[in-house]
């Protein structure tokens, strides 16, 4: 992945993306039907309803329950963790800043601390912030060193992350409901009062004092009438989609030696791959030396909000997985005995919608200032920028009440989205949403009326890193 500033300073990260000609599409009907009104059974009622069990939703559910709220977590798949597990995004982006300080903490830190060393790989804390050339070179090949700095960016076993995510949810007293798709918000005026969901029992409803939209694409807040943005830079990876996969039976140490010690041969290998199949990707390390993860090829020109686009990306990605297996087995050192271990059950979506919130995280906020309503701190994109103070207003919708929107669909500009969509930042904003929702439900106020001092104190009590508090302590 390369780093660059494009026109207007918007484009920071470039990686190989692939424009495609879309399949010939089936003609869609222009007919409509009228669905008769019907009474829906209320499945349950709760203080806080979390829709979506990805990183943001899992963090929110645990945080709210630990504040004493009665929490229901609705998840469409059979597991928690979202893209960090079902999407095989097993490389977790930086949680330390360029000085080596561990800034994304709280729920994220606790969850990862539950993984033993055979289930997670990455630099030890004493190496975070190191500029030692040998350590930078070693960890650079393992996606944990950037800009000549070793960072806290581990890779992990997705099955164990599922297991520990579920354990934390159950230990906190959350009630999870799997195989249930949050369908549409229930509205009382401008207030979201819960949502309907679809399952094997048909359409049902859940009533809640506060609802957390953790769908990743803002499905609930869009349905409730909240404003949002959808534009992305077509040159940027953040508008791309793909299905990741794992190959096992590999020797990643051997492949990394090939890549590092014979760069000319590696370049020739990559060129042959592009010539053979055009959409070609290189592997990344995993938590084990005998398993490789392919997090691409990244396909551009598709919308995460269109079902035919989602379907085509799945088809192309799975076809490419088979083509990669044949090519790597034939030509790549360390891959002669490779076999398909798993294709991701969840599509790798990077961007769908971005909320229009009471606040907004923008490029102007990269100046090192602390937001008065700060809910967490994110590492910046490069050492020349200060840490980023994340405002509470970025997860609070403008036009609707009763709902919070943590995760990749929060309120930010397209450039800030390049890092705020990442898994650690989703843990960060989800953690904050859970504490805020519990306070709002307990006090009988809207999320916008939650006292910021109480929210910040609640986050600090649960181990989150806030710059104002850290400055006082230091």
């Amino acid at each position: 992945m390369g780093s660059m500033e494009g026109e207007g300073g918007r484009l920071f990260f470039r990686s190989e993306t692939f424009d495609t000609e879309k399949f010939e599409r089936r003609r869609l009907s222009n007919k409509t039907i009228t669905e008769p009104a019907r009474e829906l059974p209320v499945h349950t009622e709760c203080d806080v309803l979390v829709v979506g069990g990805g990183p943001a939703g899992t963090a929110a559910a645990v945080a709210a329950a630990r504040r004493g709220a009665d929490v229901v977590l609705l998840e469409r798949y059979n597991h928690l963790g979202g893209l960090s597990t079902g999407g095989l995004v097993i490389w977790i982006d930086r949680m330390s800043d360029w000085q080596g300080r561990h800034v994304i903490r709280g729920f994220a830190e606790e969850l990862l601390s539950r993984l033993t060393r055979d289930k997670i790989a990455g630099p030890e804390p004493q190496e975070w912030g190191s500029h030692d050339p040998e350590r930078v070179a070693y960890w650079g090949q393992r996606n944990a060193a950037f800009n000549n700095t070793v960072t806290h960016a581990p890779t992990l076993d997705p099955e164990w992350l599922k297991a520990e995510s579920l354990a934390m949810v159950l230990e906190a007293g959350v009630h999870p409901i799997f195989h249930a798709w949050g369908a549409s918000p229930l509205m009382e005026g401008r207030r979201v009062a819960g949502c309907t969901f679809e399952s094997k029992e048909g359409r049902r409803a859940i009533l809640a004092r506060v609802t957390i939209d953790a769908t990743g694409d803002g499905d609930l807040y869009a349905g409730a009438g909240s404003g949002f943005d959808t534009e992305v830079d077509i040159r940027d990876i953040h508008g791309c989609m793909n299905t990741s996969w794992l190959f096992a039976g590999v020797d990643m140490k051997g492949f990394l030696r090939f890549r590092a010690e014979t760069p000319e041969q590696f370049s020739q290998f990559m060129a042959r791959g592009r010539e053979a199949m055009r959409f070609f990707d290189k592997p990344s390390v995993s938590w084990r030396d005998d398993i490789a993860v392919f997090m691409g090829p990244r396909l551009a020109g598709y919308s995460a909000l269109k079902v035919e686009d989602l379907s085509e990306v799945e088809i192309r990605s799975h076809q490419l997985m088979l083509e990669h297996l044949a090519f790597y087995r034939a030509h790549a050192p360390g891959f002669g005995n490779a076999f398909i271990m798993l294709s991701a059950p969840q599509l790798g979506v990077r961007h769908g919608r971005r909320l229009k919130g009471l606040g907004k995280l923008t490029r102007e906020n990269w100046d090192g200032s602390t937001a008065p309503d700060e809910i967490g701190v994110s590492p910046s994109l490069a050492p020349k920028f200060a840490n980023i103070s994340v405002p509470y207003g970025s997860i609070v919708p403008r036009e609707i009440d009763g709902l919070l929107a943590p995760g990749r669909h929060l309120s930010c500009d397209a450039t800030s989205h390049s890092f705020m969509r990442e898994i650690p930042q989703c843990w960060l904003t989800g953690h904050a949403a859970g504490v805020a929702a519990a306070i709002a439900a307990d006090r009988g106020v809207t999320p916008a009326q939650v006292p910021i001092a109480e929210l910040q104190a609640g986050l600090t009590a649960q181990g989150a890193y806030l710059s104002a508090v850290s400055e006082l302590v230091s």
Side-chain angles (χ1 to χ4, degrees):
M1 181 181 292
S3 176
M4 64 171 289
E5 272 193 75
E7 299 172 6
R10 283 191 57 203
L11 188 63
F12 274 83
F13 285 108
R14 293 290 301 273
S15 188
E16 193 165 24
T17 62
F18 300 96
D19 291 314
T20 64
E21 290 187 13
K22 292 184 179 180
F23 295 158
E24 183 176 345
R25 291 294 172 89
R26 182 183 183 90
R27 186 176 64 85
L28 300 181
S29 175
N30 58 7
K31 295 180 180 178
T32 62
I33 63 169
T34 299
E35 190 175 66
R38 54 180 169 144
E39 290 189 350
L40 295 183
V42 174
H43 188 78
T44 190
E45 301 177 45
C46 59
D47 295 328
V48 177
L49 170 62
V50 182
V51 183
T58 303
V62 171
R66 287 179 173 177
R67 289 280 303 189
D70 175 25
V71 181
V72 172
L73 174 58
L74 204 64
E75 168 55 42
R76 62 173 166 159
Y77 293 110
N78 70 346
H79 61 268
L80 301 175
L83 291 184
S84 65
T85 56
L88 298 182
V89 185
I90 60 173
W91 166 63
I92 307 300
D93 203 1
R94 296 166 297 110
M95 290 171 284
S96 58
D97 66 12
W98 299 107
Q99 288 71 49
R101 289 175 296 189
H102 191 181
V103 294
I104 296 185
R105 306 191 69 172
F107 176 85
E109 181 179 18
E110 181 180 349
L111 175 59
L112 295 187
S113 74
R114 297 169 71 111
L115 300 176
T116 56
R117 292 304 299 174
D118 60 328
K119 303 174 182 70
I120 186 169
E124 296 290 347
Q126 59 268 26
E127 290 195 84
W128 303 344
S130 171
H131 304 297
D132 178 78
E134 182 178 339
R135 303 314 294 160
V136 168
Y138 178 85
W139 288 115
Q141 286 193 316
R142 291 159 177 81
N143 293 333
F146 310 91
N147 292 300
N148 296 313
T149 306
V150 178
T151 68
H152 180 24
T155 56
L156 46 81
D157 183 335
E159 290 302 318
W160 276 99
L161 192 64
K162 290 178 187 177
E164 296 299 345
S165 297
L166 179 60
M168 287 183 70
V169 161
L170 296 177
E171 289 164 10
V174 175
H175 179 67
I177 302 175
F178 293 105
H179 303 289
W181 184 299
S184 59
L186 299 172
M187 303 301 297
E188 294 178 350
R190 60 174 272 156
R191 174 180 173 267
V192 177
C195 83
T196 64
F197 70 95
E198 296 283 358
S199 74
K200 285 293 186 179
E201 295 183 84
R203 184 179 290 249
R204 292 181 157 235
I206 297 177
L207 302 179
R209 294 182 180 179
V210 180
T211 301
I212 295 177
D213 182 346
T215 61
D217 296 314
D219 295 337
L220 285 187
Y221 70 62
S226 173
F228 57 86
D229 295 311
T230 59
E231 91 288 348
V232 292
D233 193 314
I234 61 173
R235 302 166 297 167
D236 198 319
I237 66 171
H238 307 297
C240 296
M241 294 188 290
N242 61 278
T243 298
S244 301
W245 64 79
L246 301 177
F247 286 166
V250 306
D251 175 12
M252 277 302 289
K253 286 184 177 180
F255 183 81
L256 291 177
R257 283 195 301 271
F258 161 65
R259 182 176 171 181
E261 297 173 7
T262 57
E264 184 175 342
Q265 289 93 320
F266 175 73
S267 295
Q268 292 170 355
F269 164 78
M270 293 298 294
R272 287 199 306 272
R274 293 187 192 99
E275 183 179 358
M277 66 187 75
R278 185 185 168 200
F279 310 127
F280 190 64
D281 195 28
K282 58 183 177 292
S284 293
V285 299
S286 74
W287 73 103
R288 292 171 53 123
D289 291 328
D290 59 348
I291 298 174
V293 59
F294 286 76
M295 301 180 70
R298 302 170 180 88
L299 303 177
Y302 296 94
S303 170
L305 307 178
K306 295 182 178 180
V307 69
E308 294 286 347
D309 280 12
L310 298 173
S311 300
E312 183 169 323
V313 172
E314 289 281 19
I315 293 168
R316 287 187 180 276
S317 293
H318 284 86
Q319 290 173 337
L320 286 166
M321 177 181 65
L322 300 181
E323 293 174 15
H324 276 68
L325 179 65
F327 189 88
Y328 270 80
R329 282 177 63 102
H331 303 291
F335 279 77
N337 296 315
F339 61 91
I340 297 171
M341 178 179 175
L342 180 67
S343 60
Q346 288 185 237
L347 182 65
V349 174
R350 294 168 175 83
H351 181 275
R353 300 180 180 93
R354 299 194 314 280
L355 178 72
K356 288 188 176 178
L358 290 179
K360 185 176 183 179
L361 180 59
T362 69
R363 172 70 187 278
E364 286 68 36
N365 301 121
W366 302 8
D367 61 357
S369 60
T370 299
D373 58 343
E374 181 182 271
I375 54 173
V377 175
S378 170
S380 63
L381 287 175
K384 66 179 180 178
F385 299 112
N387 288 341
I388 313 297
S389 178
V390 181
Y392 178 55
S394 66
I395 63 172
V396 183
R398 283 186 211 165
E399 296 93 349
I400 57 176
D401 293 327
L403 182 139
L404 287 161
R408 71 169 184 251
H409 56 218
L410 83 168
S411 177
C412 64
D413 61 18
T415 312
S416 300
H417 186 263
S418 64
F419 59 90
M420 288 306 299
R421 69 177 177 87
E422 296 286 357
I423 288 161
Q425 285 76 5
C426 290
W427 281 328
L428 182 161
T429 56
H431 188 177
V435 173
I439 293 172
D442 181 57
R443 287 178 168 266
V445 299
T446 68
Q449 295 170 329
V450 167
I452 297 302
E454 186 176 356
L455 170 57
Q456 292 173 334
L459 284 168
T460 302
Q462 292 190 5
Y465 178 99
L466 298 178
S467 57
V469 174
S470 69
E471 289 164 6
L472 290 174
V473 171
S474 61

